[in-house]
Amino acid sequence: MEILSTEEKFKNIEHNLKVIRDRISAAAASVGRSPEEITLMAVTKTVDPLFINHAIECGVDLIGENKVQEFLSKKPFLHMENCRAHLIGHLQTNKVRQIVGEVSVIQSVDSLKLATEISKRSLAAGLVTECLVEVNIGGEENKTGLEFSQTEELLEKMATLEGIKVRGLMTVPPICEKEEELSQYFSKMHALFIDMKSKKLDNIDMTVLSMGMSGDYEAAVRHGSNLVRIGSAIFGPRIY
């Protein structure tokens, strides 16, 4: 793999962000949506704070981290004055205490047990933690996320918990060879989002549909996503 200088990486980030924003705008326009409806999240898994800060300088105002410890170790070095952070990876209940109050949204709530722990820790800290419910839209055994059919039941139970506020849904669809197949998952997820929104459950403010990543964000935008989570298409291949 070619080793790039810091300046070359900076230029790549600038170029990539412009390309992605242009593509989001085109995808939105193709279905009569405004680009302003769609939030771009920069996913910063394995990315050095130096390059995260450069993306923030280029106008990124939302970052997403997968792991609690990785985010907490980077946070002191990040220029977060005008930027928010979400946790997007699987969250174990024993890590909830560490992350409550450190991010503005936890996107990966997939059980009542986890939601209850977030509620408990938020109340103890005098906070309200915003959450998204993660749905395993493809029903894949190797993926976290709630079963599609259980979404309404979990939302109804979460609506009774203090210290949390549900803001919407998140998903990672299966890898698909054809866009038609991928589009079916995105459409199904969007229909679920609209259905849950129409229920008008107390304490459920269904405003965020988080779906679409580096390889499929344009299709996600065309099917109703209003938050796309993009990592490698901004920062380049991950270095583990």
Side-chain angles (χ1 to χ4, degrees):
M1 186 187 294
E2 183 186 1
I3 305 297
L4 300 178
S5 70
T6 296
E7 279 306 313
E8 287 171 321
K9 287 185 179 180
F10 280 175
K11 285 191 170 68
N12 282 352
I13 289 168
E14 292 160 24
H15 170 76
N16 293 343
L17 282 169
K18 183 183 185 307
V19 168
I20 290 162
R21 286 171 176 142
D22 288 347
R23 287 181 175 174
I24 288 172
S25 294
S30 74
V31 290
R33 299 180 68 195
S34 165
E36 281 72 40
E37 290 178 36
I38 295 109
T39 299
L40 169 61
M41 167 190 281
V43 176
T44 52
K45 179 180 180 180
T46 78
V47 179
D48 188 280
L50 178 69
F51 302 113
I52 301 171
N53 286 333
H54 189 69
I56 293 170
E57 286 170 23
C58 295
V60 166
D61 60 4
L62 177 62
I63 65 170
E65 270 289 352
N66 289 69
K67 295 182 177 178
V68 171
Q69 291 309 129
E70 184 176 350
F71 176 65
L72 294 179
S73 68
K74 288 177 184 175
K75 191 177 182 183
F77 306 100
L78 298 177
H79 302 158
M80 298 295 292
E81 297 81 10
N82 299 302
C83 186
R84 295 165 297 135
H86 290 188
L87 184 76
I88 60 173
H90 177 61
L91 178 60
Q92 296 171 304
T93 51
N94 64 355
K95 297 281 178 68
V96 170
R97 178 179 53 80
Q98 298 169 45
I99 200 66
V100 161
E102 299 289 343
V103 293
S104 56
V105 176
I106 297 172
Q107 286 206 15
S108 48
V109 179
D110 60 359
S111 70
L112 183 61
K113 180 184 176 186
L114 178 58
T116 302
E117 183 67 15
I118 295 169
S119 167
K120 178 177 134 186
R121 296 295 180 180
S122 300
L123 285 171
L127 300 169
V128 175
T129 300
E130 297 189 354
C131 301
L132 304 186
V133 167
E134 181 181 0
V135 180
N136 183 348
I137 195 65
E140 296 173 278
E141 288 183 9
N142 62 336
K143 269 190 189 161
T144 57
L146 186 71
E147 282 185 31
F148 178 86
S149 61
Q150 296 176 345
T151 307
E152 185 174 356
E153 182 185 353
L154 178 60
L155 286 172
E156 287 173 348
K157 289 175 179 175
M158 287 179 70
T160 67
L161 296 175
E162 296 179 55
I164 62 173
K165 180 79 175 177
V166 179
R167 292 292 186 189
L169 305 176
M170 183 267 258
T171 198
V172 180
I175 295 169
C176 301
E177 289 185 12
K178 296 181 180 177
E179 187 169 323
E180 296 81 26
E181 189 183 352
L182 180 66
S183 296
Q184 288 178 356
Y185 290 116
F186 285 148
S187 295
K188 187 177 180 183
M189 194 72 200
H190 183 247
L192 176 66
F193 175 71
I194 296 299
D195 185 34
M196 293 302 104
K197 195 173 192 172
S198 71
K199 304 284 184 190
K200 293 187 166 56
L201 296 167
D202 289 344
N203 198 35
I204 307 288
D205 182 13
M206 197 61 57
T207 55
V208 178
L209 178 56
S210 170
M211 62 183 190
M213 300 187 294
S214 288
D216 58 15
Y217 66 91
E218 291 163 281
V221 168
R222 288 193 290 271
H223 290 88
S225 172
N226 58 19
L227 191 159
V228 292
R229 311 180 304 271
I230 303 179
S232 57
I234 296 173
F235 298 108
R238 290 201 177 103
I239 299 167
Y240 290 95

